[in-house]
Amino acid sequence: MKRFSLLILVVIISYSCKKEYQPRNIDSIKITEFKRDSSSIRAIKVISENDLIYAGSKGDIGFTDDGGKTWSVELLKYNDSIIPHFRSIAQNNNGTFALSVANPALLYKTSKGNGTKLVYKEEHEKVFYDSMKFFSDGVHGIAVGDPTENCPSIILTSNGGNSWQKLSCDKLPIFKDGEAFFAASNTNIAIIDKTVWIASGGSKARILKSTDYGNTWEIYDTPIIQGDGPQGIYSIDFYDENHGIAIGGNYAKPNDNCVNKAITTDGGKTWKIVANNQNPNYKSCVQYVPNTNGKEVFAVGKTGISFSNDGGHTWDEVSSDSYYTIQFVDKNTAWLSGHQKIGKLVLL
């Protein structure tokens, strides 16, 4: 009996050890850079370690399927005169979607065999769309933008992106004067299953949350720096329904690291400041490394690239290279984008 009990204990201990992920120490990284002349690229969609789609500032939608060795690029114009400035990109089984920022807001769908067509247009002097994502079912999608009235601009699709509808303000939280979003990296939206979180900035730094594909909403305060136009949350990510991270700061003062990073353990209702007055400073994108139990996190921005192996409590700068966004293929491979460049990061 004692031998049997000991065996059970060994099995339990072994199972527990296997479940507990041991985060890595990363002191430096290697990035292969690919020049993309004339385009500022803030929106990427990673497909695999060899396949990437991006949307750029010159109406360009680019694609590689050989790890960046060669690129195919489609250049779009509206009415032969307006060049869309894309800062949002998303993809599902129906195609690739790219959304421009300013008036008129132009949302294009492109797919092999069916060409490229405009699926949504919005004209307003205040229109400015910031980011876009599809839910895991690929049928429901969401794009968010700055207020044209007294609420955020949110458009939804429930047919795979073939058509989009804007939510009316009576279905959305009211924004404070000067509260908006940041089109810095297409990552101020995070999605898990039917739940979506969106981060705001400016006069307030808050989290909007919906658990039903964006049809109904709640809004929560955060302690992230706020009150001025370029202050607030620039990027969020969640590794499960409860645990998430937010990062930002002050774009106009990129070396400041005061009150610009926070974590949540209750699904975004409350947030706790971490690494206050410590690096990283202003960043435009934060992402959990997949399959690391929420321990490993990368943050990128024009001030360089930082890494945390304890869920965001402490950080190390691993590169001074300037990038706007990062997106992972797996725990060892990621793509980045920046001003006139794409990067591929490999952790060995």
Side-chain angles (χ1 to χ4, degrees), residues 99-107 118 120-123 127 129:
L99 175 61
S100 66
V101 285
N103 189 24
L106 305 168
L107 175 50
L118 188 67
Y120 181 82
K121 182 179 74 169
E122 183 177 340
E123 294 180 288
V127 71
Y129 277 91

Side-chain angles (χ1 to χ4, degrees), residues 91-279:
Q91 188 185 52
N92 62 9
N93 291 333
N94 289 336
T96 299
F97 296 78
L99 175 61
S100 66
V101 285
N103 189 24
L106 305 168
L107 175 50
Y108 287 94
K109 172 188 174 183
T110 181
S111 58
K112 290 184 178 180
N114 293 311
T116 300
K117 64 178 181 179
L118 188 67
V119 293
Y120 181 82
K121 182 179 74 169
E122 183 177 340
E123 294 180 288
H124 193 285
E125 61 181 359
K126 294 182 179 180
V127 71
F128 197 97
Y129 277 91
D130 303 88
S131 57
M132 171 176 56
K133 277 185 171 61
F134 279 99
F135 291 80
S136 55
D137 64 2
V139 175
H140 294 85
I142 183 171
V144 304
D146 296 344
T148 56
E149 301 177 58
N150 62 349
C151 69
S153 295
I154 295 181
I155 61 173
L156 301 175
T157 180
S158 58
N159 60 11
N162 292 322
S163 61
W164 299 73
Q165 293 79 38
K166 188 172 183 178
L167 288 179
S168 60
C169 282
D170 60 2
K171 296 182 178 180
L172 289 165
I174 300 302
F175 261 17
K176 302 295 184 181
D177 186 37
E179 184 177 8
F181 300 117
F182 295 121
S185 61
N186 198 37
T187 59
N188 66 347
I189 300 177
I191 288 176
I192 294 180
D193 297 327
K194 298 179 182 180
T195 300
V196 55
W197 299 265
I198 311 170
S200 74
S203 62
K204 299 289 288 184
R206 298 195 287 181
I207 298 294
L208 291 75
K209 181 180 180 180
S210 170
T211 58
D212 57 4
Y213 295 119
N215 290 294
T216 61
W217 293 88
E218 297 175 327
I219 191 164
Y220 304 107
D221 292 328
T222 80
I224 292 280
I225 189 169
Q226 56 198 272
D228 192 13
Q231 294 177 340
I233 306 170
Y234 281 74
S235 179
I236 54 172
D237 197 18
F238 278 75
Y239 81 87
D240 64 22
E241 292 182 349
N242 291 316
H243 297 83
I245 190 166
I247 202 164
N250 188 335
Y251 181 86
K253 297 179 179 179
N255 292 319
D256 284 1
N257 53 25
C258 177
V259 200
N260 72 320
K261 303 166 287 290
I263 58 173
T264 180
T265 58
D266 59 8
K269 294 180 181 179
T270 62
W271 294 79
K272 176 185 176 182
I273 293 295
V274 291
N276 193 25
N277 292 315
Q278 301 174 36
N279 284 332

